[in-house]
Amino acid sequence: MEISKIYDPTAAEERWYKYWIDKGFFHSEPDGREAYTMVMPPPNVTGVLHMGHVLNNTIQDVLVRRARMQGKNTCWVPGTDHASIATEAKVVALLREQGISKHDLTREEFLKHAWDWKEKYGGIIIEQLKTLGCSCDWERVRFTMDDDLSAAVIEVFVDLYKKGYIYRGVRMVNWDPKGLTAVSDEEVIHKEVDSKLFYVRYKIEGTADEWITIATTRPETILGDTAICVHPDDKRYASLKGKKAIVPIVNRAVPIIYDEYVTMEFGTGALKVTPAHDVNDYNLGVKHNLEVIDIFEPNGTLSKAAQFYVGQDRFKVREQIGIDLEKAGNLVKTENIKNKLGYSERTNAVIEPKLSLQWFLKMDKVSKPALDNVLNGTIKLIPDKYINTYRHWMENVHDWCISRQLWWGQQIPAYYCKGQKKPECQQPVVSITKPEKCSHCGSDLRQDEDVLDTWFSSWLWPISVFDGFKEPGNKDISYYYPTHDLVTAPEILFFWVARMIIAGYEYLGKEPFSHVYLTGTVRDKIGRKMSKSLGNSPDPLDLIAKYGADGTRVGILLCSPAGNDLTFDELLCEQGRNFANKLWNSFRLIQGWEPVDIEPGNATVYTNWFENKLSEQIELIEKDFASYRLSEALMSAYKLTYDDFCGFYLELIKTTCGKNPPRKVFDATIGYLESLLKILHPFMPFITEEIWHQTKERSDKDCIIVAPYPKAGKYDAKLLANFELQKEYLKLIRGMRQQNNISPKIELTQLEPSSSDTLTAGVMKLSGTVYGKGSEGSLSFVLKDKKYLFSLPEGMEIDKGQEKDKLVKELEYQKGFLKSVDIKLSNQKFVTNAKPEIIQNEKNKKADAEAKIAAIEKQLQTMN
RNA sequence: GGGAGCUUAGCUCAGCUGGUUCAGAGCAUCUGCCUUACAAGCAGAGGGUCAUCGGUUCGAACCCGGUAGCUCCCACCA
């Protein structure tokens, strides 16, 4: 059968993915084997696959596939997240396009639209993950708003409320005027921006021309001012005690208060106080019993309470009020400054601090075990530099604002009495199901309008996907929990990872996972974060179409050390594709061989070598996996295949045996190829499966996806070191052949390094000009301190170079080295502090150097 | 404002307890080859004051300071 020179991934990838699912390789049920469990960080249901997902899910798939090949019962649970703000915003926008306003709909009507939308578009990312080759258990796919999962959320809310960890209160929250909801502290991104500092003077009440000047970046909030605050020690303002200032525009008299909170050095040392729109001002307001005037509507326009500019946007008002203040003679000056503003993570709107009634979870009640168990290593963060960050956050954690003024999500199970006939009626009733009537007065109840923060459902993910709440202690949860690895982005270490750990300890008393692998952020070639808005992210599906899923996976993995950001370049995918093709062609070569029944002879040397090499490299790859250095593991496998197997081993067999290798050699070679395929399978699942089935006839379940992962055998390090020289030699000969147009027969019969003639040949630099003095027909050289003698290919000439210079330099170097060893050995401090074996080591080095010096001197004498 | 980390070849990164396993890998570049597995290939070559200044040491990419640049996290000074 003719096999194509170029490997075409498309057909094979689709075929094998279906095959794996058909044969049930992805599905897991509890059994007697050791489990390997992983839950996928659920992508937003609205999402489409981007490079971050590719990175994240490729890493997960590599870990999962390797575990599966190691014989573990592997369960990778996929799913999607309802992402309340993002999804609701999308649905609202879609409805708007259809001319429907959210406010014209009832909650039920809106939710129906949202669910329709979810059914239609929600599965996209799931299908895309399949293209990438993710071996998830698709029979277990979950959505954070599935009935079971929502029920778990409600149950947890009620439970925490009963424990007294959840409370409702008026607090200053981060208000997103675009999303029209409160967001948590973690969802606010601070950015430095250029802004203007306005110096505004307020007249002192009852005086003709006495003023107090304040500095503010937000002059529009003047309308909500209820005090002026100065430092009690500030002499400039000492005389104003007990007086009042007149707020410009609104002409309201407000008290001048004294508080140490004010920095005397900043601005004018006087501060306007707007308790409704600044956290600090709010605190001052509470302390000094100030009036609170909320001048904004939820959407960021001015409310009636502002009296002026009603209905206009806050930023427009800021401009206008500057002009108006100037006209009125209140504006002293403006200054350009840089300050930091909070932006909403989801909508990018400038966050407005706003007082509102929200639900909170007291974090200090639940966070301790989550901190302790990361610090004591029960849960390992990879890389561990994140431990510090994690600790800092956990030690300073604020209460979590868990209510959102949205409809898409789990509605808060709190019920309020409509009648309010008795004082007790004011307390909300929190319960899993809606009570019929108010137990105090018998009135009807209404449910809290708000939904819970999305993270309030995803923090239960590792438990709820195994029905750990619905059916505590069920077969799945007891078998699969705790899970093993969690692969996610560092950005959500607090949003999600920390909270999952909290929930894990709170509800199961156990960590949800043992290792957290934090991936980097995918950046483009010039270091910018890849994002849709910048348009600098390639569409992963295009990459897969162009380079195959295997090539794309290799491409992203090659540049992804744990925790470091990675600069992605499409070139890497090309490298991946080329590698796949190389592998394919190595198979083509072997496939074209016809073994004969003769004894292997010399070829045994090569098979023996490769066996050793394989063991050495498998051991190395094991180590890389153990420390989660996936790109290193891949690189080792890449070099083993490309350089050692294709570039050297196959080349040698081909040269010595032609198309008819001895059967033993042939069988061994197939075996090596299979080992390589297995090692590569987690990285390149498709091509390896494809070749696996072409090497021989196989039964339907004999697939590489479940083939036993190779184990490292014993190997002879010395033999391998010698062969590295053989490789250099082979390359040398090839180079000679090409450059001199001669064709020496490649015969590597002298595989043992020559022990004689230590320095007679001098120093030869293999990669450059050949220096040497060897006799006709032989060549010796020094590499890594050892001398080797090989037969010289016919027709090759030795270039007699500056041998003497080299030797002189070597001599000087060795003498200098000897001196340093001597000094070290005579150094009291060193000797007293050093371990005995280090001293012995130094002594050996000294002896070596002395021997070399003697040899070089002798050599130089013979040359003179 | 506070904290963490980084800076090694054109690019992306290895480099453990300071030394003779220390200056490495892959990619890219250049040169020569379409040699029957593979041009998505083969052979060869060039390329680094290990950011910078100082210190410790017999010896520093590595340890300790200073400086510069970059990144990230946290934070309620208008």
Side-chain angles (χ1 to χ4, degrees), chain A residues 108-355:
Chain A
E108 285 65 37
E109 285 166 346
F110 176 81
L111 286 176
K112 187 173 181 307
H113 280 109
W115 278 106
D116 286 350
W117 189 89
K118 186 256 167 188
E119 292 310 322
K120 204 165 168 190
Y121 302 105
I124 293 179
I125 195 157
I126 293 292
E127 292 310 308
Q128 290 175 323
L129 286 171
K130 293 179 180 172
T131 323
L132 190 62
C134 297
S135 58
C136 316
D137 186 345
W138 296 111
E139 292 173 41
R140 292 178 180 273
V141 61
R142 292 301 189 107
F143 174 53
T144 51
M145 269 173 71
D146 283 346
D147 289 347
D148 299 356
L149 275 71
S150 286
V153 169
I154 299 303
E155 190 182 313
V156 164
F157 181 93
V158 172
D159 177 66
L160 292 172
Y161 181 81
K162 290 198 172 138
K163 284 176 179 160
Y165 298 170
I166 285 181
Y167 63 93
R168 191 171 186 235
V170 175
R171 293 288 182 283
M172 189 60 82
V173 296
N174 306 297
W175 184 260
D176 177 345
K178 217 182 212 170
L180 298 179
T181 177
V183 296
S184 69
D185 289 346
E186 287 70 36
E187 288 166 300
V188 178
I189 300 165
H190 296 272
K191 293 188 210 168
E192 189 163 272
V193 292
D194 291 315
S195 44
K196 251 186 203 168
L197 190 60
F198 293 77
Y199 286 80
V200 182
R201 59 178 193 172
Y202 290 35
K203 198 170 208 176
I204 305 299
E205 193 185 35
T207 66
D209 196 25
E210 224 181 301
W211 304 83
I212 183 163
T213 305
I214 56 91
T216 180
T217 51
R218 302 204 54 195
E220 72 278 13
T221 60
I222 282 174
L223 305 171
D225 280 359
T226 55
I228 298 288
C229 185
V230 296
H231 197 278
D233 298 341
D234 199 329
K235 290 183 184 124
R236 293 172 289 181
Y237 304 116
S239 63
L240 298 176
K241 207 154 211 168
K243 295 192 174 165
K244 288 193 168 188
I246 309 286
V247 179
I249 315 243
V250 286
N251 286 321
R252 178 168 51 236
V254 298
I256 292 168
I257 59 170
Y258 293 80
D259 197 291
E260 285 168 3
Y261 160 74
V262 180
T263 315
M264 289 192 269
E265 291 74 32
F266 188 90
T268 60
L271 173 71
K272 70 187 219 38
V273 184
T274 325
H277 301 294
D278 186 285
V279 184
N280 306 298
D281 292 13
Y282 175 72
N283 294 336
L284 282 173
V286 171
K287 199 166 158 189
H288 296 273
N289 227 338
L290 300 175
E291 191 188 348
V292 177
I293 303 174
D294 185 344
I295 61 159
F296 291 121
E297 293 290 345
N299 65 2
T301 60
L302 274 72
S303 68
K304 278 186 188 157
Q307 302 177 43
F308 295 83
Y309 314 103
V310 175
Q312 295 182 42
D313 184 76
R314 52 190 169 145
F315 298 113
K316 291 240 171 74
V317 175
R318 184 177 303 172
E319 274 174 40
Q320 187 58 40
I321 207 166
I323 297 165
D324 294 349
L325 284 168
E326 186 154 26
K327 272 188 206 156
N330 289 93
L331 187 66
V332 180
K333 61 171 176 175
T334 63
E335 228 171 60
N336 290 326
I337 57 155
K338 282 191 191 301
N339 71 337
K340 295 236 175 155
L341 278 186
Y343 285 80
S344 164
E345 202 207 18
R346 299 287 184 190
T347 64
N348 207 31
V350 177
I351 290 295
E352 190 65 51
K354 186 177 161 71
L355 272 179

Side-chain angles (χ1 to χ4, degrees), chain A residues 740-751:
Chain A
N740 304 334
N741 200 19
I742 53 172
S743 23
K745 199 176 169 202
I746 301 172
E747 274 287 356
L748 291 186
T749 45
Q750 283 178 278
L751 291 166

